[in-house]
Coordinates of all heavy atoms in Angstrom, one line a residue:
M1 N -192.0 101.5 72.4 CA -190.6 101.7 71.9 C -189.6 101.1 73.0 O -189.7 101.4 74.2 CB -190.3 103.1 71.7 CG -191.1 103.9 70.8 SD -190.2 104.3 69.4 CE -191.4 104.7 68.3
P2 N -188.7 100.3 72.6 CA -187.7 99.8 73.5 C -186.7 100.9 74.0 O -186.4 101.7 73.2 CB -187.0 98.6 72.8 CG -187.3 98.9 71.4 CD -188.6 99.7 71.3
L3 N -186.3 100.8 75.2 CA -185.3 101.8 75.7 C -184.0 101.6 75.0 O -183.2 102.6 75.0 CB -185.2 101.5 77.2 CG -184.4 102.6 78.0 CD1 -185.1 104.0 77.8 CD2 -184.4 102.2 79.5
K4 N -183.7 100.5 74.4 CA -182.4 100.3 73.7 C -182.3 101.3 72.5 O -181.2 101.7 72.2 CB -182.4 98.9 73.1 CG -181.7 97.9 74.0 CD -181.5 96.6 73.3 CE -181.0 95.6 74.3 NZ -180.9 94.3 73.7
R5 N -183.4 101.7 71.9 CA -183.3 102.6 70.8 C -182.8 104.0 71.3 O -182.0 104.7 70.6 CB -184.6 102.8 70.1 CG -185.0 101.5 69.3 CD -186.3 101.7 68.7 NE -186.3 102.7 67.7 CZ -187.4 103.0 67.0 NH1 -188.5 102.4 67.1 NH2 -187.3 104.0 66.1
V6 N -183.2 104.4 72.5 CA -182.7 105.6 73.1 C -181.2 105.5 73.4 O -180.4 106.4 73.2 CB -183.5 106.0 74.4 CG1 -182.9 107.2 75.0 CG2 -184.9 106.2 74.0
A7 N -180.8 104.3 73.9 CA -179.4 104.1 74.2 C -178.5 104.1 73.0 O -177.4 104.7 73.0 CB -179.2 102.7 74.9
Y8 N -179.0 103.6 71.9 CA -178.3 103.7 70.6 C -178.1 105.1 70.2 O -177.0 105.5 69.7 CB -179.0 102.9 69.5 CG -179.0 101.4 69.7 CD1 -180.1 100.7 69.2 CD2 -178.0 100.8 70.4 CE1 -180.1 99.3 69.3 CE2 -178.1 99.4 70.6 CZ -179.1 98.7 70.0 OH -179.2 97.3 70.2
G9 N -179.1 106.0 70.3 CA -178.9 107.4 70.0 C -177.9 108.1 70.9 O -177.1 108.9 70.5
M10 N -178.0 107.7 72.2 CA -177.0 108.3 73.1 C -175.6 107.9 72.8 O -174.6 108.7 72.9 CB -177.3 107.9 74.6 CG -178.5 108.6 75.1 SD -178.8 108.1 76.8 CE -180.3 108.9 77.1
I11 N -175.4 106.7 72.3 CA -174.1 106.2 72.0 C -173.6 107.0 70.8 O -172.4 107.4 70.8 CB -174.1 104.7 71.6 CG1 -174.3 103.8 72.9 CG2 -172.9 104.2 70.9 CD1 -174.6 102.4 72.7
M12 N -174.4 107.2 69.8 CA -174.0 107.9 68.6 C -173.6 109.3 69.0 O -172.6 109.9 68.5 CB -175.1 107.9 67.5 CG -175.2 106.6 66.8 SD -176.1 106.8 65.3 CE -177.7 106.5 65.9
A13 N -174.4 110.0 69.8 CA -174.1 111.3 70.2 C -172.8 111.4 71.1 O -172.0 112.3 70.9 CB -175.3 111.9 71.0
G14 N -172.7 110.5 72.0 CA -171.6 110.5 72.9 C -170.3 110.2 72.2 O -169.2 110.8 72.5
T15 N -170.3 109.2 71.3 CA -169.0 108.9 70.6 C -168.6 110.1 69.7 O -167.4 110.4 69.5 CB -169.2 107.6 69.7 OG1 -170.3 107.7 68.9 CG2 -169.3 106.4 70.6
L16 N -169.6 110.8 69.1 CA -169.2 111.9 68.3 C -168.6 113.0 69.1 O -167.6 113.6 68.7 CB -170.5 112.5 67.6 CG -170.3 113.7 66.7 CD1 -169.4 113.3 65.5 CD2 -171.6 114.2 66.2
I17 N -169.1 113.2 70.3 CA -168.5 114.3 71.2 C -167.1 113.8 71.6 O -166.2 114.6 71.7 CB -169.5 114.5 72.3 CG1 -170.7 115.3 71.8 CG2 -168.8 115.4 73.4 CD1 -171.8 115.4 72.8
I18 N -167.0 112.6 72.0 CA -165.7 112.1 72.5 C -164.6 112.2 71.4 O -163.5 112.7 71.7 CB -165.8 110.6 73.0 CG1 -166.6 110.6 74.3 CG2 -164.4 110.0 73.2 CD1 -167.0 109.2 74.7
V19 N -164.9 111.8 70.2 CA -163.9 111.8 69.1 C -163.6 113.3 68.8 O -162.5 113.6 68.5 CB -164.4 111.0 67.9 CG1 -163.6 111.3 66.7 CG2 -164.5 109.6 68.2
R20 N -164.7 114.1 68.8 CA -164.4 115.6 68.5 C -163.5 116.2 69.6 O -162.6 117.0 69.2 CB -165.8 116.3 68.4 CG -165.7 117.7 68.1 CD -165.3 117.9 66.7 NE -165.4 119.4 66.4 CZ -164.8 119.9 65.4 NH1 -164.1 119.2 64.5 NH2 -164.9 121.2 65.2
F21 N -163.7 115.9 70.8 CA -162.9 116.4 71.9 C -161.5 115.9 71.7 O -160.5 116.7 71.9 CB -163.4 115.9 73.3 CG -162.6 116.3 74.4 CD1 -162.6 117.6 74.9 CD2 -161.7 115.5 75.0 CE1 -161.8 118.0 75.9 CE2 -160.9 115.8 76.1 CZ -160.9 117.1 76.5
I22 N -161.3 114.6 71.5 CA -159.9 114.1 71.3 C -159.3 114.8 70.1 O -158.1 115.2 70.1 CB -160.0 112.6 71.1 CG1 -160.4 111.9 72.4 CG2 -158.6 112.0 70.6 CD1 -160.6 110.4 72.3
D23 N -160.0 115.0 69.0 CA -159.4 115.6 67.8 C -159.0 117.1 68.1 O -158.0 117.5 67.6 CB -160.5 115.5 66.7 CG -159.9 116.0 65.4 OD1 -158.7 115.7 65.1 OD2 -160.6 116.7 64.6
L24 N -159.8 117.8 68.9 CA -159.5 119.2 69.1 C -158.5 119.4 70.2 O -157.7 120.3 70.0 CB -160.8 120.0 69.5 CG -161.8 120.2 68.3 CD1 -163.0 120.9 68.9 CD2 -161.2 121.0 67.2
H25 N -158.5 118.7 71.3 CA -157.8 119.0 72.4 C -156.6 118.0 72.8 O -155.7 118.4 73.5 CB -158.7 119.2 73.7 CG -159.7 120.3 73.5 ND1 -159.3 121.6 73.4 CD2 -161.0 120.2 73.3 CE1 -160.4 122.3 73.3 NE2 -161.5 121.5 73.2
V26 N -156.7 116.8 72.3 CA -155.7 115.8 72.7 C -154.7 115.5 71.6 O -153.5 115.7 71.7 CB -156.4 114.5 73.2 CG1 -155.3 113.5 73.6 CG2 -157.3 114.8 74.4
Y27 N -155.3 115.1 70.4 CA -154.5 114.6 69.3 C -155.2 115.0 68.0 O -156.3 114.7 67.8 CB -154.2 113.1 69.4 CG -153.5 112.6 68.2 CD1 -152.1 112.8 68.2 CD2 -154.1 111.8 67.3 CE1 -151.3 112.3 67.1 CE2 -153.3 111.3 66.2 CZ -152.0 111.5 66.1 OH -151.2 111.0 65.1
N28 N -154.5 115.7 67.2 CA -155.1 116.1 65.9 C -155.1 114.9 64.9 O -154.1 114.6 64.3 CB -154.3 117.3 65.3 CG -155.0 117.9 64.1 OD1 -156.1 117.6 63.9 ND2 -154.3 118.8 63.4
M29 N -156.2 114.3 64.8 CA -156.4 113.1 63.9 C -156.8 113.5 62.5 O -157.4 114.5 62.3 CB -157.4 112.2 64.5 CG -157.1 111.6 65.8 SD -158.4 110.4 66.3 CE -159.6 111.5 67.0
S30 N -156.4 112.6 61.6 CA -156.9 112.8 60.2 C -158.4 112.4 60.2 O -158.8 111.7 61.1 CB -156.1 112.0 59.2 OG -156.3 110.6 59.4
T31 N -159.1 112.7 59.2 CA -160.5 112.4 59.1 C -160.7 110.9 59.1 O -161.6 110.3 59.7 CB -161.1 113.1 57.9 OG1 -160.9 114.5 57.9 CG2 -162.6 112.8 57.8
F32 N -159.8 110.2 58.3 CA -159.9 108.7 58.2 C -159.8 108.0 59.5 O -160.5 107.2 59.9 CB -158.9 108.2 57.2 CG -159.0 106.8 56.9 CD1 -160.0 106.2 56.2 CD2 -158.0 105.9 57.4 CE1 -160.1 104.8 56.0 CE2 -158.0 104.6 57.2 CZ -159.1 104.0 56.5
V33 N -158.8 108.4 60.3 CA -158.5 107.8 61.6 C -159.6 108.2 62.5 O -160.1 107.3 63.3 CB -157.1 108.4 62.2 CG1 -157.0 107.9 63.6 CG2 -156.0 107.9 61.3
A34 N -160.2 109.4 62.5 CA -161.3 109.7 63.4 C -162.5 108.9 63.1 O -163.2 108.4 64.0 CB -161.6 111.2 63.2
I35 N -162.8 108.7 61.8 CA -163.9 107.8 61.4 C -163.7 106.4 61.9 O -164.7 105.7 62.4 CB -164.2 107.9 59.9 CG1 -164.7 109.3 59.6 CG2 -165.2 106.8 59.4 CD1 -164.8 109.5 58.1
L36 N -162.5 105.8 61.7 CA -162.3 104.5 62.2 C -162.4 104.4 63.7 O -163.0 103.4 64.2 CB -160.9 104.0 61.8 CG -160.7 103.7 60.3 CD1 -159.2 103.4 60.0 CD2 -161.6 102.6 59.8
F37 N -161.9 105.4 64.4 CA -162.0 105.4 65.9 C -163.5 105.5 66.3 O -163.9 104.8 67.2 CB -161.2 106.6 66.4 CG -161.0 106.6 67.9 CD1 -160.4 105.5 68.5 CD2 -161.3 107.7 68.6 CE1 -160.2 105.5 69.9 CE2 -161.2 107.7 70.0 CZ -160.6 106.6 70.6
L38 N -164.2 106.3 65.6 CA -165.7 106.5 65.9 C -166.4 105.2 65.7 O -167.2 104.8 66.5 CB -166.2 107.6 65.0 CG -167.6 108.0 65.2 CD1 -167.8 108.8 66.5 CD2 -168.1 108.9 64.0
I39 N -166.1 104.5 64.6 CA -166.8 103.2 64.3 C -166.4 102.2 65.4 O -167.3 101.4 65.9 CB -166.4 102.7 62.9 CG1 -167.1 103.6 61.8 CG2 -166.8 101.3 62.7 CD1 -166.6 103.4 60.5
A40 N -165.2 102.1 65.8 CA -164.7 101.2 66.8 C -165.4 101.4 68.1 O -165.9 100.4 68.7 CB -163.2 101.2 67.0
I41 N -165.5 102.6 68.6 CA -166.2 102.9 69.8 C -167.7 102.6 69.7 O -168.2 102.0 70.7 CB -166.0 104.4 70.2 CG1 -164.6 104.7 70.5 CG2 -166.9 104.8 71.4 CD1 -164.3 106.2 70.8
M42 N -168.3 102.9 68.6 CA -169.7 102.6 68.5 C -170.0 101.1 68.5 O -171.0 100.6 69.1 CB -170.3 103.2 67.2 CG -170.4 104.7 67.3 SD -170.9 105.6 65.8 CE -172.5 105.0 65.7
V43 N -169.2 100.3 67.8 CA -169.4 98.9 67.7 C -169.3 98.2 69.1 O -170.1 97.4 69.5 CB -168.4 98.2 66.7 CG1 -168.4 96.7 66.8 CG2 -168.8 98.6 65.3
I44 N -168.2 98.6 69.8 CA -168.1 98.1 71.2 C -169.2 98.5 72.1 O -169.7 97.7 72.8 CB -166.7 98.6 71.7 CG1 -165.6 97.9 71.0 CG2 -166.6 98.3 73.2 CD1 -164.2 98.5 71.2
S45 N -169.6 99.7 72.0 CA -170.7 100.2 72.8 C -172.0 99.5 72.5 O -172.8 99.2 73.4 CB -170.9 101.7 72.6 OG -169.8 102.4 73.0
Y46 N -172.3 99.3 71.2 CA -173.5 98.6 70.8 C -173.5 97.1 71.4 O -174.6 96.6 71.8 CB -173.7 98.5 69.3 CG -174.2 99.8 68.7 CD1 -174.0 100.0 67.3 CD2 -174.7 100.8 69.4 CE1 -174.5 101.2 66.7 CE2 -175.2 102.0 68.8 CZ -175.0 102.2 67.5 OH -175.4 103.3 66.9
K47 N -172.4 96.5 71.3 CA -172.3 95.1 71.9 C -172.6 95.1 73.4 O -173.2 94.2 73.9 CB -171.0 94.5 71.5 CG -170.8 94.2 70.0 CD -169.6 93.4 69.8 CE -169.4 93.1 68.3 NZ -170.3 92.1 67.8
I48 N -172.1 96.1 74.1 CA -172.3 96.2 75.5 C -173.8 96.4 75.8 O -174.4 95.8 76.7 CB -171.5 97.3 76.1 CG1 -170.0 96.9 76.1 CG2 -171.9 97.6 77.6 CD1 -169.0 98.0 76.5
V49 N -174.4 97.4 75.0 CA -175.9 97.7 75.2 C -176.7 96.4 74.9 O -177.7 96.2 75.6 CB -176.3 98.9 74.4 CG1 -177.8 99.0 74.3 CG2 -175.7 100.1 75.0
D50 N -176.4 95.7 73.9 CA -177.1 94.5 73.6 C -177.2 93.5 74.7 O -178.1 92.7 74.8 CB -176.6 93.8 72.3 CG -177.1 94.6 71.0 OD1 -178.1 95.3 71.1 OD2 -176.4 94.4 70.0
R51 N -176.2 93.4 75.5 CA -176.1 92.5 76.6 C -176.8 92.9 77.9 O -177.0 92.1 78.8 CB -174.6 92.2 77.0 CG -173.9 91.5 75.9 CD -172.5 91.2 76.2 NE -171.8 90.5 75.1 CZ -170.6 90.1 75.2 NH1 -169.9 90.2 76.3 NH2 -170.1 89.5 74.1
I52 N -177.2 94.2 77.9 CA -177.9 94.7 79.1 C -179.4 94.4 79.0 O -180.1 95.0 78.1 CB -177.7 96.2 79.3 CG1 -176.2 96.4 79.5 CG2 -178.5 96.7 80.5 CD1 -175.8 97.9 79.6
A53 N -180.0 93.5 79.8 CA -181.4 93.1 79.7 C -182.3 94.2 80.1 O -183.5 94.2 79.7 CB -181.6 91.8 80.4
W54 N -181.8 95.0 81.0 CA -182.7 96.1 81.6 C -183.2 97.1 80.5 O -184.2 97.7 80.6 CB -181.9 96.8 82.7 CG -182.7 97.9 83.3 CD1 -183.6 97.8 84.3 CD2 -182.5 99.3 83.1 NE1 -184.1 99.0 84.7 CE2 -183.4 100.0 83.9 CE3 -181.8 100.1 82.2 CZ2 -183.6 101.3 83.9 CZ3 -181.9 101.5 82.2 CH2 -182.8 102.1 83.1
L55 N -182.4 97.2 79.4 CA -182.7 98.1 78.4 C -183.8 97.6 77.4 O -184.2 98.3 76.5 CB -181.5 98.6 77.6 CG -180.5 99.4 78.4 CD1 -179.2 99.6 77.5 CD2 -181.1 100.7 78.8
D56 N -184.2 96.3 77.6 CA -185.3 95.8 76.7 C -186.7 96.2 77.1 O -187.6 95.9 76.4 CB -185.2 94.2 76.8 CG -184.0 93.7 76.1 OD1 -183.6 94.3 75.1 OD2 -183.5 92.6 76.5
R57 N -186.8 97.0 78.2 CA -188.2 97.4 78.6 C -188.7 98.4 77.7 O -188.0 99.1 77.0 CB -188.1 97.8 80.1 CG -187.4 99.1 80.3 CD -187.3 99.4 81.8 NE -186.6 100.7 82.0 CZ -187.1 101.7 82.6 NH1 -188.3 101.6 83.1 NH2 -186.4 102.8 82.7
E58 N -190.0 98.5 77.7 CA -190.7 99.4 76.8 C -190.9 100.8 77.5 O -191.1 100.9 78.7 CB -192.1 98.9 76.4 CG -192.0 97.6 75.6 CD -191.6 97.9 74.2 OE1 -192.0 98.9 73.6 OE2 -190.8 97.1 73.6
I59 N -190.9 101.9 76.7 CA -191.2 103.2 77.2 C -192.2 103.8 76.3 O -192.4 103.3 75.2 CB -189.9 104.1 77.3 CG1 -189.3 104.2 75.9 CG2 -189.0 103.6 78.3 CD1 -188.2 105.2 75.9
T60 N -193.0 104.8 76.8 CA -194.0 105.4 76.0 C -193.4 106.3 74.9 O -192.2 106.7 74.9 CB -194.9 106.3 76.8 OG1 -194.1 107.4 77.4 CG2 -195.5 105.5 78.0
R61 N -194.2 106.5 73.9 CA -193.7 107.3 72.7 C -193.3 108.7 73.2 O -192.4 109.3 72.7 CB -194.8 107.3 71.6 CG -194.3 108.0 70.4 CD -195.4 107.9 69.3 NE -195.6 106.5 68.9 CZ -194.9 105.9 68.0 NH1 -193.9 106.5 67.4 NH2 -195.3 104.6 67.6
N62 N -194.1 109.3 74.1 CA -193.8 110.7 74.6 C -192.5 110.7 75.3 O -191.7 111.6 75.2 CB -194.9 111.2 75.4 CG -196.2 111.5 74.6 OD1 -196.1 111.8 73.5 ND2 -197.3 111.5 75.3
T63 N -192.2 109.7 76.1 CA -191.0 109.6 76.9 C -189.8 109.5 75.9 O -188.8 110.1 76.0 CB -191.0 108.5 77.8 OG1 -192.1 108.6 78.7 CG2 -189.7 108.4 78.7
Y64 N -190.0 108.7 74.9 CA -189.0 108.4 73.8 C -188.7 109.8 73.1 O -187.5 110.1 73.0 CB -189.5 107.4 72.8 CG -188.6 107.2 71.6 CD1 -187.5 106.4 71.7 CD2 -189.0 107.7 70.4 CE1 -186.7 106.2 70.6 CE2 -188.2 107.5 69.3 CZ -187.0 106.8 69.4 OH -186.2 106.5 68.3
Y65 N -189.7 110.5 72.7 CA -189.5 111.8 72.1 C -188.8 112.8 73.0 O -187.9 113.6 72.6 CB -190.8 112.4 71.5 CG -191.3 111.6 70.3 CD1 -192.7 111.4 70.2 CD2 -190.5 111.1 69.4 CE1 -193.2 110.7 69.1 CE2 -190.9 110.4 68.3 CZ -192.3 110.2 68.2 OH -192.8 109.5 67.1
L66 N -189.2 112.9 74.2 CA -188.6 113.8 75.2 C -187.2 113.5 75.4 O -186.3 114.4 75.4 CB -189.4 113.7 76.5 CG -188.9 114.7 77.6 CD1 -189.1 116.1 77.2 CD2 -189.6 114.3 78.9
I67 N -186.8 112.2 75.6 CA -185.4 111.9 75.8 C -184.6 112.2 74.6 O -183.5 112.7 74.7 CB -185.3 110.4 76.2 CG1 -185.9 110.1 77.6 CG2 -183.8 109.9 76.2 CD1 -186.0 108.7 77.9
N68 N -185.1 112.0 73.4 CA -184.4 112.3 72.1 C -184.2 113.8 72.0 O -183.1 114.2 71.5 CB -185.1 111.7 70.9 CG -184.9 110.3 70.7 OD1 -183.8 109.8 71.1 ND2 -185.8 109.6 70.1
V69 N -185.2 114.6 72.4 CA -185.0 116.1 72.3 C -183.9 116.5 73.2 O -183.0 117.3 72.9 CB -186.3 116.8 72.6 CG1 -186.1 118.2 72.9 CG2 -187.3 116.6 71.5
V70 N -183.9 116.0 74.4 CA -182.8 116.3 75.4 C -181.5 115.9 74.9 O -180.5 116.6 75.0 CB -183.1 115.7 76.8 CG1 -181.9 115.8 77.7 CG2 -184.4 116.3 77.4
V71 N -181.4 114.7 74.3 CA -180.1 114.2 73.8 C -179.6 115.0 72.7 O -178.4 115.4 72.6 CB -180.2 112.7 73.4 CG1 -179.0 112.3 72.6 CG2 -180.4 111.8 74.6
V72 N -180.5 115.4 71.7 CA -180.0 116.2 70.6 C -179.6 117.6 71.1 O -178.7 118.2 70.6 CB -181.2 116.3 69.5 CG1 -180.9 117.3 68.5 CG2 -181.3 114.9 68.9
S73 N -180.4 118.2 72.0 CA -180.0 119.5 72.5 C -178.7 119.5 73.2 O -177.8 120.4 73.0 CB -181.1 119.9 73.5 OG -182.3 120.0 72.9
L74 N -178.4 118.5 74.0 CA -177.1 118.3 74.7 C -176.0 118.1 73.7 O -174.9 118.6 73.9 CB -177.1 117.2 75.7 CG -178.0 117.5 77.0 CD1 -178.0 116.3 77.9 CD2 -177.4 118.7 77.7
L75 N -176.3 117.4 72.6 CA -175.3 117.1 71.6 C -174.9 118.4 70.9 O -173.7 118.7 70.7 CB -175.8 116.1 70.5 CG -175.0 115.9 69.3 CD1 -173.7 115.3 69.6 CD2 -175.8 115.1 68.3
I76 N -175.9 119.2 70.6 CA -175.6 120.5 69.9 C -174.8 121.4 70.9 O -173.8 122.1 70.5 CB -176.9 121.2 69.4 CG1 -177.5 120.4 68.3 CG2 -176.6 122.6 69.0 CD1 -178.9 120.8 67.9
L77 N -175.2 121.5 72.1 CA -174.5 122.3 73.1 C -173.1 121.9 73.3 O -172.2 122.7 73.3 CB -175.3 122.3 74.4 CG -174.7 123.1 75.6 CD1 -174.8 124.6 75.3 CD2 -175.4 122.7 76.9
A78 N -172.9 120.6 73.5 CA -171.5 120.1 73.7 C -170.7 120.2 72.5 O -169.5 120.6 72.6 CB -171.6 118.6 74.1
F79 N -171.2 120.0 71.3 CA -170.4 120.0 70.1 C -169.9 121.5 69.9 O -168.7 121.7 69.5 CB -171.3 119.6 68.9 CG -170.5 119.3 67.7 CD1 -169.7 118.2 67.5 CD2 -170.5 120.2 66.6 CE1 -169.0 117.9 66.4 CE2 -169.7 120.0 65.5 CZ -169.0 118.8 65.4
Y80 N -170.7 122.5 70.1 CA -170.3 123.8 69.9 C -169.5 124.4 71.0 O -168.7 125.3 70.9 CB -171.5 124.7 69.5 CG -171.9 124.5 68.1 CD1 -173.1 123.9 67.9 CD2 -171.1 124.8 67.0 CE1 -173.5 123.6 66.6 CE2 -171.5 124.6 65.7 CZ -172.7 124.0 65.5 OH -173.1 123.7 64.2
S81 N -169.7 123.9 72.2 CA -168.9 124.4 73.4 C -167.5 123.8 73.3 O -166.6 124.4 73.9 CB -169.6 124.0 74.7 OG -169.6 122.6 74.9
L82 N -167.2 122.7 72.6 CA -165.9 122.2 72.4 C -165.0 123.1 71.6 O -163.8 123.2 71.8 CB -165.9 120.8 71.8 CG -166.3 119.7 72.7 CD1 -166.4 118.4 71.8 CD2 -165.4 119.5 73.8
E83 N -165.6 123.9 70.8 CA -164.9 124.8 69.9 C -164.3 126.0 70.6 O -163.4 126.7 70.1 CB -165.7 125.2 68.7 CG -166.4 124.1 68.0 CD -165.9 124.0 66.5 OE1 -165.4 125.0 66.0 OE2 -166.1 123.0 65.9
L84 N -164.9 126.3 71.8 CA -164.4 127.5 72.5 C -163.1 127.3 73.2 O -162.6 126.4 73.5 CB -165.5 127.9 73.5 CG -166.8 128.2 72.9 CD1 -167.8 128.5 74.1 CD2 -166.7 129.4 72.0

């Protein structure tokens, strides 16, 4: 499995947390604006990740699953801790 796939998952999780934080604590956005902002951040981040050659290396399937479990756990933790 290429390491880029893990980076794509981290981008999706990170952008969701960033947009949620901005929506709750900085500026109350409408749903449409939040989705457009989310898409823009994701597209820019994907283009940056595609240019990094270091992320083309292969990782084992177990490492891939372990990193994904950690990312999903942190996503859940961060998403709900923003509400406090």
Side-chain angles (χ1 to χ4, degrees):
M1 302 249 165
L3 191 56
K4 270 188 186 178
R5 290 179 64 181
V6 176
Y8 292 151
M10 288 180 182
I11 288 170
M12 283 195 272
T15 54
L16 181 63
I17 290 171
I18 289 169
V19 170
R20 182 74 174 158
F21 176 79
I22 291 170
D23 188 37
L24 288 177
H25 299 292
V26 178
Y27 178 73
N28 190 13
M29 295 184 276
S30 68
T31 305
F32 182 71
V33 172
I35 290 172
L36 289 178
F37 191 54
L38 186 71
I39 290 170
I41 292 173
M42 288 176 68
V43 167
I44 291 168
S45 299
Y46 283 164
K47 290 189 183 283
I48 291 170
V49 165
D50 281 338
R51 292 183 182 184
I52 300 173
W54 181 78
L55 294 173
D56 287 331
R57 67 187 181 123
E58 294 289 320
I59 58 172
T60 63
R61 186 174 297 273
N62 288 336
T63 305
Y64 175 75
Y65 290 142
L66 180 66
I67 293 172
N68 279 335
V69 166
V70 169
V71 167
V72 169
S73 301
L74 290 175
L75 173 65
I76 292 169
L77 179 70
F79 194 76
Y80 286 109
S81 66
L82 284 175
E83 305 242 346
L84 299 176

